[in-house]
Amino acid sequence: MAVRPGLWPALLGIVLAAWLRGSGAQQSATAANPVPGASPDLFPHFLVEPEDVYIVKNKPVLLVCKARPATQIFFKCNGEWVRQADHAIEHSTDGGSGLPTMEVRINVSRQQVEKVFGLEEYWCQCVAWSSSGTTKSQKAYIRIAYLRKNFEQEPLAKEVSLEQGIVLPCRPPEGIPPAEVEWLRNEDLVDPALDPNVYVTREHSLVVRQARLADTANYTCVAKNIVARRRSASAAVVVYVDGSWSPWSKWSACGLDCTHWRSRECADPAPRNGGEECRGADLDTRNCTSDLCVHTASGPEDVALYVGLIAVAVCLLLLLLALILVYCRKKEGLDSDVADSSILTSGFQPVSIKPSKADNPHLLTIQPDLSTTTTTYQGGLCPRQEGPSPKFQLSNGHLLSPLSGGRHTLHHSSPTSEAEDFVSRLSAQNYFRSLPRSTSNVAYGTFNFLGGRLMIPHTGVSLLIPPDAIPRGKIYEVYLTLHKPEDVRLPLAGCQTLLSPIVSCGPPGVLLTRPVILAMDHCGEPSPESWSLHLKKQSCEGSWEDVLHLGEEAPSHLYYCQLEAGACYIFTEQLGRFALVGEALSVAAAKRLKLLLFAPAACTSLEYSIRVYCLHDTRDALKEVVQLEKQLGGQLIQEPRVLHLKDSYHNLRLSIHDVPSSLWKSKLLVSYQEIPFYHIWSGTQQHLHCTFTLERVSASTSDLACKVWVWQVEGDGQSFNINFNITKDTRFTELLALESEGGVPALVGPSAFKIPFLIRQKIITSLDPPCSRGADWRTLAQKLHLDSHLSFFASKPSPTAMILNLWEARHFPSGNLSQLAAAVAGLGQPDGGLFTVSEAEC
């Protein structure tokens, strides 16, 4: 049966609609040819076609088609028909022509686009039907929009002379759609339409044709698209002016001394913004009557001058001879190895670390006192995998004669000289070449099986040597040193950062039968989601190794760590050089910075400088800055604050505001200063600070009121409100009074511990055996919030001793012994005399 030609398009539309309502099977379709004899005016014409669009984050996009005349409209995406259920359809009739009109909408999600991401671009088009045929719309491409964080090239700071050209390059981060670039000058938009002296190239570089003084500023490249807005690091541009001489003035009249003069000034132009001063003299004198006035060097004034110079030279020569004589006498005295009599009186034998033979420079020898018996330890400073085992020569005899009261404190009759001698002897060994020469960061002492403690005051660095950590019959001279990061090369990779001081304890290679505990501060904000923390140790060959991954400790390891909010306590059976290193796992990883504001304690000029330090929030870093400021004559002018620096690659910015212009002038040429992110994040640079220089309008000005802001872009910030009198206000000085950490840096024997020795032994004997009622060391660990380390404690011969050692390391010297006694008493032990010691036992 024949079908009239005009019915074919309608039938085709009906069949297609029925198929789309079905199971959703999809197939390719091509545009139908026009029906023979159909009027071209009745073909579908698109009033609205789909356009290219971007998906921002997870928000779907809307595509719209509208055609007239149209009986059916369907979308096809990447060659496949979209289900009819996904179409939103509106039918209407054109009032003028009476032709049917259709409008169709669909949503496209991010998930649909990502299915074909990387293979081809995602596109959609719509197909419209009428009684005369079909028409396809243009293709609309749907893309996922993004903008990466890091600039491919950032502008760099420059110093240029006046009228010199400036080019600041900027290559924005990769993005879809490509980012638009604009420039900021001190946070104000740079508009080339308003300033013909600047323009932006096609490569987004900012060009200043001729530098002007007003072009001195911080420049920031800003990249933005529909997704995000990114800022580059700011580049400080300083336009300077070199000074130039004005013309010479006329010669003056001839004076009584038969000379005349002329002058000039360095003011044509004057140097600006750090430009060079004029070279040469600003005053020129000449004889004006050379025939009558001739000066010679034979007058009485010249003779007196020469005599004085000769006398000064003779005095300097005599002083030099005297210094040489004193040095020679001191050198003779230092050649002999003198024992410390105070050590002998406390029952210890004098020891020293020095080369014994030319063929074995690493030999560690303990010099015995011939009047008593002792033990000699011989062995390499660094343990070796092969070779004979160390030799131990044992003999009978008491090693310790206790003083009254059972206290054994190591005293030094001349601490400074002995410390310098100790460091010089250690430095003679190859392994100790990098020990600090300064004695302020070195502690040392002589120890035996009773144990003891070394501390570097005001740094939070200490070494606890528990009882029986040193084998009975042996005496070790132990040292503890704090290194400056710039003196020790600690390689850091990727996102790693130094979180603690670098600390050495030794000598390495000595035999320990119990773990010692090394305590030091850290500046990390530890969380498993943000940080991966590693304990690094330097080998004898100088390389650094990861010896412990915190959170993945095994009880059998030689190292273990108790990490707390601001400190870490490291159990180790091998002495050496250690550092805590963190690797950021996300931008949420943060380090604590201590912000300190210092200024001169005495201001004798019109200039007044405020120094803002940004340092690790550790006691050793604080001690370094306090000592430095004491040398500079500075005083604290605000209470210290803590700022959390995130691993976001953004620099730290510092600015000063609200300076009263009637009393003070700020010499800052830009709106803020910056400390680069990597300088802070690496942790290897000390004393990072910025200086704000102010100038008093009058010498009588003494009151200063202003604000100092310190902030990280898109991060944490702090504001200091300064309001004080620079001549007499010292209210913040006492805030940095360094707290006492237990007196002398070395404590030996029972005096080094808060818990009396006999009570300690009773607690260990009572709590080490397992108890079915739970009154054993496990419950004690829970009461002291140490139950996360049960497996480590259980791996040791005396778990209770490990718990008490950690308590001693954490709470000395200010620990509350009553609280510990209450925790132990709460275990329900039946022995009522556990915490009492008779006078006879003492």
Side-chain angles (χ1 to χ4, degrees), residues 486-517:
E486 60 265 27
D487 295 338
V488 178
R489 186 179 180 274
L490 174 61
L492 299 173
C495 300
Q496 289 184 338
T497 175
L498 181 63
L499 297 176
S500 75
I502 301 175
V503 178
S504 292
C505 55
V510 296
L511 175 65
L512 296 174
T513 56
R514 299 284 190 277
V516 298
I517 301 179

Side-chain angles (χ1 to χ4, degrees), residues 794-825:
S795 68
K796 302 304 176 184
S798 174
T800 309
M802 293 295 103
I803 296 173
L804 297 180
N805 293 342
L806 181 55
W807 187 91
E808 290 277 6
R810 295 169 67 193
H811 296 93
F812 188 88
S814 58
N816 191 331
L817 198 58
S818 300
Q819 293 180 354
L820 176 64
V824 177

Side-chain angles (χ1 to χ4, degrees), residues 97-118:
S97 63
L99 295 176
T101 304
M102 286 190 67
E103 182 176 329
V104 179
R105 297 181 177 87
I106 64 169
N107 286 317
V108 179
S109 67
R110 183 187 184 102
Q111 290 75 15
Q112 292 175 264
V113 177
E114 287 178 339
K115 287 181 181 179
V116 297
F117 184 76

Side-chain angles (χ1 to χ4, degrees), residues 622-652:
L622 178 63
K623 177 183 176 181
E624 289 286 334
V625 170
V626 171
Q627 291 179 340
L628 174 63
E629 280 295 327
K630 284 184 178 179
Q631 297 174 2
L632 297 176
Q635 67 169 343
L636 190 71
I637 62 172
Q638 274 289 303
E639 184 175 350
R641 297 190 180 180
V642 173
L643 181 143
H644 294 83
L645 183 78
K646 290 187 177 181
D647 182 23
S648 61
Y649 302 98
H650 288 296
N651 297 340
L652 197 65

Side-chain angles (χ1 to χ4, degrees), residues 534-591:
H534 299 264
L535 179 67
K536 286 184 175 287
K537 181 175 182 289
Q538 190 175 30
S539 67
C540 296
E541 291 76 19
S543 60
W544 287 86
E545 303 170 347
D546 289 340
V547 296
L548 180 63
H549 185 185
L550 274 66
E552 299 181 4
E553 302 94 337
S556 59
H557 281 175
L558 293 174
Y559 310 94
Y560 205 84
C561 182
Q562 159 76 6
L563 187 69
E564 298 185 355
C568 57
Y569 302 90
I570 301 165
F571 292 83
T572 175
E573 297 181 23
Q574 293 184 355
L575 303 183
R577 184 170 296 159
F578 297 92
L580 182 66
V581 172
E583 182 173 359
L585 301 179
S586 69
V587 294
K591 295 174 65 171

Side-chain angles (χ1 to χ4, degrees), residues 188-477:
D188 294 328
L189 182 65
V190 177
D191 189 355
L194 302 178
D195 187 356
N197 193 43
V198 299
Y199 67 93
V200 179
T201 67
R202 292 183 178 179
E203 294 77 23
H204 310 298
S205 298
L206 179 66
V207 178
V208 180
R209 293 183 172 90
Q210 289 185 319
R212 304 156 297 191
L213 290 176
D215 294 322
T216 297
N218 284 315
Y219 289 85
T220 307
C221 181
V222 178
K224 61 181 180 179
N225 64 6
I226 59 176
V227 178
R229 186 174 186 264
R230 312 288 188 202
R231 293 167 58 103
S232 72
S234 296
V237 174
V238 176
V239 181
Y240 61 87
V241 179
D242 290 332
S244 181
W245 291 112
S246 64
W248 286 103
S249 65
K250 295 181 178 181
W251 287 101
S252 66
C254 189
L256 297 175
D257 56 352
C258 298
T259 61
H260 61 170
W261 56 270
R262 61 176 182 173
S263 65
R264 57 180 178 175
E265 294 181 353
C266 187
D268 192 22
R272 298 280 299 274
N273 295 354
E276 290 187 0
E277 296 285 343
C278 301
R279 298 181 180 181
D282 59 353
L283 187 67
D284 183 22
T285 61
R286 289 184 184 177
N287 292 336
C288 54
T289 54
S290 57
D291 295 336
L292 301 177
C293 299
V294 179
H295 289 271
T296 65
S298 59
E301 296 85 357
D302 296 330
V303 173
L305 176 62
Y306 294 147
V307 171
L309 290 175
I310 293 173
V312 171
V314 171
C315 293
L316 291 176
L317 181 60
L318 292 176
L319 179 60
L320 179 61
L321 292 175
L323 291 175
I324 293 175
L325 181 61
V326 172
Y327 171 78
C328 292
R329 289 185 178 181
K330 283 188 176 182
K331 188 173 185 303
E332 292 176 0
L334 290 174
D335 289 338
S336 59
D337 196 2
V338 182
D340 188 343
S341 60
S342 65
I343 298 180
L344 295 176
T345 59
S346 61
F348 290 99
Q349 313 306 322
V351 300
S352 61
I353 300 177
K354 56 185 178 182
S356 59
K357 295 182 180 180
D359 57 347
N360 190 3
H362 295 289
L363 191 62
L364 174 63
T365 305
I366 298 180
Q367 304 293 337
D369 183 351
L370 298 180
S371 62
T372 60
T373 57
T374 186
T375 300
T376 302
Y377 166 68
Q378 293 180 335
L381 290 178
C382 296
R384 302 183 182 276
Q385 301 298 328
E386 300 178 357
S389 59
K391 300 178 181 179
F392 300 92
Q393 300 176 358
L394 304 178
S395 59
N396 297 326
H398 295 288
L399 293 175
L400 181 70
S401 299
L403 300 175
S404 60
R407 298 181 63 85
H408 307 276
T409 304
L410 181 64
H411 300 283
H412 299 292
S413 57
S414 179
T416 303
S417 61
E418 290 187 7
E420 293 174 351
D421 176 63
F422 176 80
V423 172
S424 64
R425 286 190 284 114
L426 284 181
S427 299
Q429 305 290 339
N430 290 339
Y431 181 79
F432 304 106
R433 292 289 168 84
S434 59
L435 285 181
R437 296 288 177 173
S438 170
T439 58
S440 63
N441 288 333
V442 178
Y444 69 97
T446 306
F447 301 92
N448 68 353
F449 72 94
L450 290 177
R453 187 188 306 264
L454 288 175
M455 296 171 290
I456 301 178
H458 318 306
T459 64
V461 176
S462 65
L463 180 69
L464 179 74
I465 306 173
D468 290 324
I470 297 176
R472 291 177 179 261
K474 297 177 180 58
I475 299 175
Y476 296 157
E477 189 174 50

